[in-house]
Structures are given as C-alpha cells and as structure tokens.
Amino acid sequence: MANFISNWSSKAESLPEDYVVPTKLRPGTPAPIFKDIPVIDLGGDDRVGIVQKVLKAARDFGMFQVINHGISESLMFDTVRVFKEFFGMPVEEKEKVLLEDYWRLLFSDFKYWKDTLHIPCDLRSQTQTWSEKPQKYREIIEPYIIEVRKLGMRILDLIYDGLNFSKKDSNDETTQALLINHYPVCPDPSLALGACHHCDPHILTLLQQDVYGLQLLKDGEWFGIEPIPNAFVINTGILLEIISNGILKSAMHRAITNSTSSRTSIVTFIGSNPERTIEPSSSLVSPQTPPLFKSFKCKDFHEIFFSKTVDYEATMEHFKL
Ligand SMILES: O=C(O)CCC(=O)C(=O)O
Ligand SMILES: [Fe+2]
C-alpha cells in the first residue's frame, strides 16, 4: 500500500529520519514577510496602467499577487475544500491517482514533507484519469482549470504587451498542468522542507494558497509571501526568462512547513508544447541586444532541466549563449 504523509503524519511525534533535510538546505531563521510584493488589481479599465504594473512586478520581483482577477470566490473556496477532502481520504482511494513521493522522483536523498497530486488538464482527453471522489470533485475542478487558464493567458498577454511582442503565444502553443501540494502539520519545520528552492520550468505559474509557506529568494535573502484571501500568486518561469531574452528573471522560490496547520497550494503551470521552439523573441533581439540564449525544443529543455536535478544555474549554463 502507498505511503502518503497525509495518512500518518498526525501520529508522528518527531520528524522521521528520511525527511530531515541536509543542513545547508534547511529553512533557517524565520524569513521576514515580504511587504513590498506588488498586489495588482486586475479590475477596472486602465489596461495600459495594468500592463505597466504587471511588467514592472515581473521584472523587479518575478513574483506578484493579483486580486479582482475575475475568478469567483466560491470557485476558489470549493476547489481548495474539495482538495482538502481529497487528501483526507483513505489511502486506497488516493492511491488510484496519487503518486508516492512525487518530488522525490526529481531529486534527492531526502523526502519532502508533502503529498503532491498531479492533474492532467487536457479536457478533451484526460478527464477520465481524474479521481471520482470526493463527491463533486470533477464538477469543481473542470471550471477551475478553464478559469485559471483564461486568467493565465490574460496575464501573459499583459506581460507580452508590456514587452511589445510582435508575436504572442497562442492558446494552442501553451499547455496547462495542475499540481496540488498538500503539506500536513509537520512535527519539526526547522528540519524539513515542503519544496526545495527551484524556478518553475514553465512560462507562468498561478498559485492559490490558504496558509503561509511560500518563500521567494530576493537579492540572496528569503522572504515570505503572505496569503491574501482570494488572490493568486503569479510567478515567472524559466521559459519566460528565455523568451524575454533575460528581461524577466524566473522567480526562485521554496515552500516551508509549519507545526500548527496543514497547508494546501493549488498550482497551475502554463507551459509550452513539447515540440515548440523556445528562443528569445525576435522583437527583443537586435544588434544592441543580442540573444542571450540558444534556440531549442521545449521537450529538450525539460530533459536537461530534470537531468540537472532541477538546478537552475546548471540548466541555464546549458542554454546560455
Ligand atoms: O506550495 C508552494 O507554495 C510552492 C509550490 C511550488 O513551488 C511548486 O509546486 O512548483
Ligand atoms: Fe514552484
């Protein structure tokens, strides 16, 4: 039977040995909350003003929050509720769709303090792979996937307008994936990690969080990103860094655990089709601003990224010109 943390963590009095993170990767002293992170109101008619704010936030921080984004509070609430219910189900139900140690497949000598559910998002062909429980699960996540994709494409459009792109990603060129990270109450957060520091290997990430845990590395220091009710945290991925010819930097982030309440993050990745060529946009390349990165197929990028154990620097070294 699969061994999900969410099924035994409430009985754990101390952190099991295999979840103890090497000293240099531990969370360390509590990170200050990042008060300066931009919170951008997407409502209203001032599109030019919104484009400027989004571009500045993406450029300065690689991460920002959006409010008044058009996705209803009730859909966000129902979605987090149904995923919490999902993680509360018995192992026999969860193991039909949940992979044990999902993150461990990517790294490492130690385990992360979380269970992760991956949901394929192609509504034409993949909904049959979804869990049938809890009740209304499918009914809730389908509109969530549709709405968050729309929001992702809208934010991308704002960013591309800010960068004066002549050609933008079409809906068909982009992919979508949904990851649900469930971090149970942890017996010793100082020795554990929910997610190691990384940059997302996609274009754009939209994250819904209920409890504090996400941190951003800014100028060599970790800062906490406080949950704002009904907001999405947006961060730029490595593909966008490359497409923007380095104007935008991907956001280095991680997730810590806590000892008082469980945390669920619902993470949507807007990525690129595997066959698509990724390269600095021609509108940003000139004799004065030569391309900083090679041109490559997206699927080759992912192969390198995972072969370099998700290490940002090593991955970029490979693609830099
Ligand atoms: O749970 C979080 O706040 C971060 C999760 C994350 O970075 C990821 O799934 O890529
Ligand atoms: Fe991430």
Side-chain angles (χ1 to χ4, degrees):
M1 202 189 280
N3 181 26
F4 301 126
I5 309 177
S6 40
N7 290 89
W8 53 261
S9 58
S10 61
K11 292 179 219 98
E13 281 169 13
S14 60
L15 190 70
E17 195 68 15
D18 43 350
Y19 290 87
V20 175
V21 169
T23 317
K24 68 175 186 344
L25 295 178
R26 289 183 195 162
T29 48
I33 292 296
F34 196 14
K35 295 285 180 211
D36 292 338
I37 187 162
V39 178
I40 302 177
D41 186 338
L42 293 183
D45 297 332
D46 179 17
R47 193 169 189 284
V48 173
I50 294 174
V51 164
Q52 280 168 357
K53 283 185 196 153
V54 166
L55 187 70
K56 182 165 175 14
R59 205 174 195 154
D60 294 352
F61 303 103
M63 191 176 270
F64 51 97
Q65 309 217 41
V66 293
I67 54 172
N68 270 331
H69 41 62
I71 299 183
S72 75
E73 283 178 23
S74 61
L75 182 58
M76 293 181 78
F77 176 84
D78 287 348
T79 306
V80 74
R81 183 183 45 84
V82 87
F83 285 129
K84 281 191 179 291
E85 257 178 73
F86 172 87
F87 283 102
M89 292 196 304
V91 179
E92 305 82 66
E93 269 316 317
K94 285 190 288 197
E95 70 183 355
K96 293 179 188 164
V97 292
L98 191 60
L99 269 184
E100 196 175 319
D101 297 343
Y102 181 89
W103 268 75
R104 200 167 181 217
L105 299 174
L106 311 181
F107 297 102
S108 84
D109 301 334
F110 59 92
K111 296 182 179 181
Y112 293 92
W113 189 258
K114 70 169 168 180
D115 289 330
T116 296
L117 171 65
H118 172 246
I119 302 180
C121 291
D122 189 335
L123 301 179
R124 290 161 304 193
S125 60
Q126 294 178 316
T127 55
Q128 290 315 310
T129 64
W130 295 356
S131 177
E132 287 174 17
K133 289 185 182 170
Q135 222 196 351
K136 297 217 173 144
Y137 178 87
R138 293 182 175 198
E139 250 171 76
I140 291 169
I141 65 174
E142 181 159 340
Y144 186 85
I145 285 171
I146 295 171
E147 292 301 315
V148 179
R149 181 182 184 89
K150 270 197 242 158
L151 176 60
M153 294 310 289
R154 185 174 153 213
I155 294 172
L156 212 47
D157 199 60
L158 296 168
I159 293 176
Y160 287 163
D161 272 357
L163 291 168
N164 287 321
F165 270 26
S166 43
K167 185 186 167 300
K168 298 177 181 174
D169 297 337
S170 69
N171 220 13
D172 288 346
E173 284 171 320
T174 52
T175 56
Q176 181 178 6
L178 190 56
L179 272 194
I180 320 304
N181 299 301
H182 180 70
Y183 308 91
V185 167
C186 180
D188 193 343
S190 69
L191 300 181
L193 267 184
C196 200
H197 64 284
H198 67 282
C199 294
D200 294 333
H202 308 288
I203 301 177
L204 199 72
T205 304
L206 300 91
L207 179 143
Q208 179 182 339
Q209 58 173 346
D210 57 347
V211 166
Y212 172 64
L214 175 64
Q215 295 185 338
L216 171 73
L217 190 68
K218 172 95 180 99
D219 303 328
E221 258 186 81
W222 286 105
F223 290 94
I225 306 298
E226 213 166 28
I228 299 176
N230 304 312
F232 280 90
V233 179
I234 310 297
N235 71 264
T236 49
I238 302 179
L239 296 183
L240 190 54
E241 176 166 348
I242 292 170
I243 296 168
S244 71
N245 203 24
I247 292 179
L248 305 181
K249 303 275 183 279
S250 46
M252 181 72 76
H253 55 285
R254 69 179 182 185
I256 59 162
T257 63
N258 78 77
S259 58
T260 49
S261 48
S262 68
R263 170 170 189 263
T264 304
S265 66
I266 306 173
V267 189
T268 298
F269 299 114
I270 303 292
S272 158
N273 277 343
E275 293 299 333
R276 185 180 148 203
T277 299
I278 302 290
E279 59 192 357
S281 164
S282 56
S283 42
L284 297 177
V285 171
S286 70
Q288 291 75 39
T289 54
L292 298 179
F293 304 99
K294 296 172 192 161
S295 166
F296 50 86
K297 283 246 164 80
C298 184
K299 63 179 182 193
D300 299 331
F301 169 81
H302 284 124
E303 207 181 302
I304 297 291
F305 180 74
F306 292 113
S307 78
K308 304 279 183 201
T309 61
V310 189
D311 183 286
Y312 168 80
E313 301 292 344
T315 304
M316 292 317 251
E317 217 32 67
H318 191 92
F319 291 103
K320 266 187 207 152
L321 276 172

